[in-house]
Amino acid sequence: MHALPDGTTSAPTTIAVPPSLSLPVIEAAFDRQLHPYWPKCQEKTRAWLLEKRLMPADKVEEYADGLCYTDLMAGYYIGASDEVLQAIADYSAWFFVWDDRHDRDIVHGRPVAWRRLRDRLHTALDFPGAHLHHEDPLVAGFADSVSRLYAFLPRTWNLRFARHFHAVVDAYDREFHNRTHGIVPTVDEYLRLRRLTFAHWIWTDLLEPVAGCEIPDPVRKHPAYRRAALLSQEFAAWYNDLCSLPKEIAGDEVHNLGISLITHEGLTLEQAVVELRNRVEKCITEFIEVEGEALRFADDLADGTVRGKELSAAVRACLSNMRNWFSSVYWFHHESGRYMVDSWDDRSTPPYVNNEAAGEK
C-alpha cells in the first residue's frame, strides 16, 4: 500500500486502504510512477487556480494540494514534456472545479446559471481565444487551458478533442436534468452516460500530445487499442463510483452505478458494492489480457519506415500510460481530500467548494 509523497518511486509511505476498496492486484502488478515535474506542476497549478479566480484564495491555501489533482495527472501522463503536463494538469484542475460548480448549481436550484454556463462552454470550446477574458472565471479558465492544449498537435486533433468535449458538456446537461428531477438512470443508460460524464475519450485523446504524435483513426480504432483505452477509463469511472458512493448517497445523488443497481436491479447496498467491485476487477483482468494484443499491434506498426517507427513508439507510450492510469486513479482516491467524507462537517457539502452562485453577475 504505497503512496509517493516526494514525486519519486523510491520513498513510498503507507496508506490505509479500507478492505472494501482494496485492490491487491493494483498494488502488486501496477507499479506507481510520478512525473519528475510533479512538485513544480503542483505549485504552478495552485498559482493558476488563484490567477484565474477558479477557487477563493482561502480554499486554495487550505485544500488545493490535499485534493491531489496534479498528483492524478502526474501519475498518468508519464513522458510528457513539462509544458504538456502543466497544460493537462491545469485543465484537469479546471475540470474538477467545473464538476463542483455543476453540482452546486443542482443542489442550490440554479438552472438558469447552469444553462448559461453550458452554452458558454460550447462556444468557448470552438473559439477559446475570444473567451480568455470572459467575466465568468470558469469560462475564462476553460478557454485558457483549451488554447494551450490546442497548441500541441494539428487542427485535426483539436477538432476531435472539441467534438468529444461538446459531448461531455451535453452529458453534464443530461445529468443536470436527471438530478433536478430525481431520475435514476437504468444501469444501461447510466453506463452509456458515464462514459461521457467521466470524459473517457478526452483523457484518452490527451495521451497523444504526451506521446508527441497524433494517432490516425485506423490506429486509434484498432480493436485492441480501443479496448485497452476503454477498459482503463471504465476502471477509473467505476472505481470512482465505488469510492464516492457514500458521498453521493449523502448528497441525494442519482448518478452512480451503485445507485442505479440498487434502484433498478433491486440490490442492497452491500450487494451493489460487491457488484461494483466485480466490475472493477473484471476491467483489470481484461485490460491485462488485451494489453498484450495491443502491444503486438504496436510492434506490427514498425514496418521499417520512419512513420511506422514513430507510430509504433507512440502507441506503446499511450498503452504504457493507460496502464499508469490504473495505479494513479487507485491511489488518488485514497489520498485526495475529495473523498474523505467522514472528515467533513456536512457529508453533503464538500468543504473545498464555493457555494455562491458564481458567474451570475
Side-chain angles (χ1 to χ4, degrees):
M1 299 184 183
H2 298 307
L4 299 167
D6 301 318
T8 72
T9 56
S10 60
T13 186
T14 301
I15 298 291
V17 179
S20 62
L21 302 176
S22 176
L23 296 172
V25 65
I26 294 293
E27 297 176 19
F30 288 75
D31 292 339
R32 187 181 185 186
Q33 301 185 63
L34 207 56
H35 197 292
Y37 178 67
W38 168 71
K40 188 68 173 178
C41 183
Q42 183 184 55
E43 176 186 324
K44 288 194 170 185
T45 294
R46 192 189 319 121
W48 186 78
L49 288 168
L50 283 171
E51 176 193 346
K52 299 301 177 185
R53 297 179 293 118
L54 289 167
M55 290 176 68
D58 61 329
K59 302 283 188 186
V60 172
E61 177 66 27
E62 187 170 358
Y63 298 108
D65 289 355
L67 289 169
C68 299
Y69 297 158
T70 54
D71 307 47
L72 178 64
M73 296 297 107
Y76 182 17
Y77 295 108
I78 303 300
S81 69
D82 294 354
E83 184 183 19
V84 168
L85 182 61
Q86 190 65 62
I88 293 175
D90 290 350
Y91 168 77
S92 171
W94 173 89
F95 201 112
F96 280 110
V97 174
W98 175 51
D99 186 73
D100 292 334
R101 168 87 74 86
H102 177 260
D103 177 70
R104 293 297 95 184
D105 280 349
I106 293 168
V107 169
H108 295 293
R110 302 193 292 243
V112 173
W114 163 250
R115 286 194 295 269
R116 183 184 297 117
L117 176 60
R118 174 200 64 194
D119 294 345
R120 287 170 171 174
L121 292 178
H122 275 307
T123 305
L125 186 57
D126 293 329
F127 306 101
H131 293 77
L132 294 172
H133 305 288
H134 196 279
E135 62 184 14
D136 185 341
L138 205 62
V139 177
F142 177 65
D144 178 80
S145 61
V146 167
S147 293
R148 289 155 62 198
L149 293 174
Y150 282 176
F152 299 121
L153 290 177
R155 178 171 169 76
T156 45
W157 183 91
N158 297 347
L159 291 172
R160 189 208 321 155
F161 181 93
R163 183 174 70 252
H164 286 161
F165 199 79
H166 279 305
V168 171
V169 176
D170 287 340
Y172 264 70
D173 193 47
R174 292 198 293 278
E175 179 177 337
F176 191 98
H177 174 82
N178 287 346
R179 288 181 60 189
T180 54
H181 290 82
I183 300 170
V184 179
T186 67
V187 171
D188 286 345
E189 289 170 341
Y190 176 78
L191 294 177
R192 288 193 298 271
L193 191 57
R194 185 60 162 148
R195 289 180 180 180
L196 296 171
T197 58
F198 198 81
H200 281 24
W201 303 119
I202 290 293
W203 306 119
T204 303
D205 287 339
L206 289 170
L207 292 167
E208 294 170 48
V210 172
C213 176
E214 180 183 15
I215 296 179
D217 282 357
V219 176
R220 283 193 309 111
K221 295 180 179 180
H222 183 276
Y225 181 89
R226 191 168 179 83
R227 183 66 179 157
L230 180 62
L231 285 166
S232 73
Q233 294 298 323
E234 299 278 58
F235 164 82
W238 298 346
Y239 192 67
N240 175 268
D241 280 3
L242 180 64
C243 293
S244 62
L245 188 56
K247 178 183 82 168
E248 294 182 344
I249 288 176
D252 293 324
E253 257 277 21
V254 298
H255 266 241
N256 184 294
L257 180 53
I259 293 171
S260 288
L261 288 165
I262 291 167
T263 303
H264 294 288
E265 305 292 330
L267 273 61
T268 64
L269 175 60
E270 292 75 15
Q271 290 170 332
V273 168
V274 170
E275 175 62 17
L276 271 170
R277 277 192 64 97
N278 288 342
R279 288 174 181 252
V280 164
E281 290 170 351
K282 188 176 180 183
C283 281
I284 301 168
T285 302
E286 291 189 5
F287 176 83
I288 292 171
E289 291 172 356
V290 79
E291 181 185 30
E293 184 181 346
L295 288 169
R296 288 190 291 275
F297 168 61
D299 289 343
D300 291 342
L301 290 170
D303 58 3
T305 66
V306 172
R307 177 60 171 163
K309 182 179 180 181
E310 178 187 51
L311 278 178
S312 176
V315 167
R316 279 189 160 274
C318 291
L319 289 167
S320 177
N321 281 334
M322 289 175 199
R323 167 173 273 273
N324 287 333
W325 191 222
F326 285 84
S327 59
S328 192
V329 163
Y330 180 73
W331 292 113
F332 170 70
H333 281 85
H334 302 297
E335 296 170 0
S336 173
R338 195 173 179 87
Y339 304 99
M340 296 180 182
V341 182
D342 291 338
S343 68
W344 302 354
D345 292 336
D346 177 354
R347 289 171 62 88
S348 66
T349 304
Y352 49 83
V353 300
N354 181 4
N355 275 299
E356 296 174 7
E360 284 287 79
K361 296 180 181 178

